[in-house]
């Protein structure tokens, strides 16, 4: 799936309607994982499992966790955001 600049703007605003249902599910899962510090509600996990295999869920979780680590590491050291 290609992502447009407009989609990125909407994503930053929390608007996920531009994304396919599977992508929305993964983004909601990653967001809940980030906000909760790990635990994700049963409903969000079930929705994710409706779109992805166990192996894919592990990969989605690993990517979200890794980027959470990167962000927390950079924030702790006051490393400025670059684009």
């Amino acid at each position: 799936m290609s992502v447009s600049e407009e989609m990125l703007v909407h994503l930053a605003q929390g608007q996920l309607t531009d994304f396919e249902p599977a992508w929305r599910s993964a983004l909601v899962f990653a967001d809940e994982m980030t906000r909760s510090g790990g635990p994700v509600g049963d409903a969000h996990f079930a929705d994710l499992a409706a779109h992805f295999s166990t192996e894919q869920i592990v990969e989605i979780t690993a990517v979200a966790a890794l980027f959470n680590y990167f962000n927390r590491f950079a924030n702790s050291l006051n490393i400025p955001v670059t684009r």
Side-chain angles (χ1 to χ4, degrees):
M1 168 182 200
S2 66
V3 178
S4 68
E5 286 295 321
E6 182 180 25
M7 291 171 81
L8 291 175
V9 169
H10 289 164
L11 178 62
Q13 296 169 345
Q15 299 173 10
L16 303 179
T17 55
D18 295 339
F19 295 89
E20 299 168 7
W23 279 93
R24 275 196 305 270
S25 179
L27 290 166
V28 167
F29 176 84
D31 186 61
E32 185 172 345
M33 187 179 135
T34 298
R35 293 178 189 277
S36 72
V40 175
D42 292 341
H44 287 149
F45 192 87
D47 186 48
L48 191 69
H51 297 284
F52 297 99
S53 68
T54 301
E55 293 82 2
Q56 290 170 315
I57 292 171
V58 168
E59 188 170 341
I60 290 165
T61 304
V63 169
L66 185 60
F67 277 91
N68 274 297
Y69 166 77
F70 289 151
N71 288 332
R72 289 179 181 164
F73 183 87
N75 289 344
S76 296
L77 297 174
N78 293 317
I79 297 172
V81 174
T82 59
R83 297 198 187 248

